[in-house]
Amino acid sequence: MEGRIKEILQKALELIEDSENLENLEKIQQIRVQFLGKNGELTNVLRGMKDVAPELKPVIGKFVNQARDEITNRIETRIAELTAKSIEQKLNSESVDITLSSKRNPKGGLHPCSIVINEILGIFTQMGFQVKQGPEVETDFFNFQTLNIPKDHPAREMQDTFYINDELLLRTHTSPMQARTMISQQPPIRIVNPGKVYRPDDDATHSPMFQQIEGLVVDKGITLCDLKGILETFAKALFNENTKTRLRPSFFPFTEPSVEVDVTCAMCGGKGCRICKGTGWIEILGAGIVNPKVLENCGIDSNIYSGFAFGLGIERITMIKYGIPDMRILFDNDIRFLKQFN
Ligand code: PHE
């Protein structure tokens, strides 16, 4: 009988050892049933105990119990071993190679003109200006007539444009937004108007579509000094602290007097270089004291109020700021060019 028990134990341990992975868990449970279950091989040995001589019973009983304990222990340790093995296999197969270069998600960025627009609007809003935008398809009335450019007047030639019909056109400047504001609101007015504008020009420094920011201040006692002060502050903020400003006489139908504003070249600091064509100065915008006729056209009493206005081209400022030689590069949208700004 002792031999039989040893045989059973041996067989059980071998079967347990054979279970190679956790998927064999069921098999291990079957082994438990096969040997220790109700009709298990070892259980059956116990049943045969009634035929054993009484003096041998304690010895055989001890054997059976030892065999059962050993099988139970072995099953538990085997399950623990297989669990650990499976976790380790999983960790090895799922390991991340941190030296592998990652897939890059290309990051978008702002167009240099958008960077400049944001910067300029930032400077003016800090000085208390309000941003106002209007339609790109504008009426002849707001684009020209309110701004002292009557129908069929030669002054229109400065800004000839794309007409949709006799009354509608693509705006030539964002000044109509100034007229719209003055008609709908009494002073004090302090606004900047960004947006796209259209003119039939096309060469290295002109494009049929370009972007502008115009500004308007109307209040009591506004003079050319206020204009100079604001624009000087603006130029220093946009280029650098050492930037100087000068006004040259000019003409616009909607301002009187009118000026062109030059700044010392940001590239050479006024010494003269390729960008400023050796002069040390660069023209950045047109401006002036709002023509009293324009105020009256918009229902503002020019005996009480006065104002100044200015207008600048974004592409032009972007070219000056970054030393870009040809405006058309700004419209090509070549990624190699655009990447340099982010
Ligand atoms: N509207 C003018 C232009 O587009 C710019 C300007 C605005 C000039 C305001 C003077 C005053 O050319």
Side-chain angles (χ1 to χ4, degrees), residues 147 158-159 172-175 178 197 199 210 212 214-215 252 254-255 258-259 285-289 308-312:
L147 298 169
M158 279 175 85
Q159 295 196 359
T172 59
H173 45 188
T174 56
S175 310
Q178 308 187 341
V197 300
R199 291 179 206 180
F210 62 101
Q212 272 195 332
E214 295 212 357
F252 297 104
F254 29 84
T255 46
S258 302
V259 294
L285 53 83
I289 292 299
F308 69 76
F310 59 88
L312 54 84

Side-chain angles (χ1 to χ4, degrees), residues 24-34 75 79:
N24 296 142
L25 207 58
E26 212 170 299
K27 195 168 134 199
I28 297 179
Q29 301 302 357
Q30 274 167 14
I31 296 172
R32 197 196 295 270
V33 176
Q34 181 183 340
I75 285 178
I79 289 176

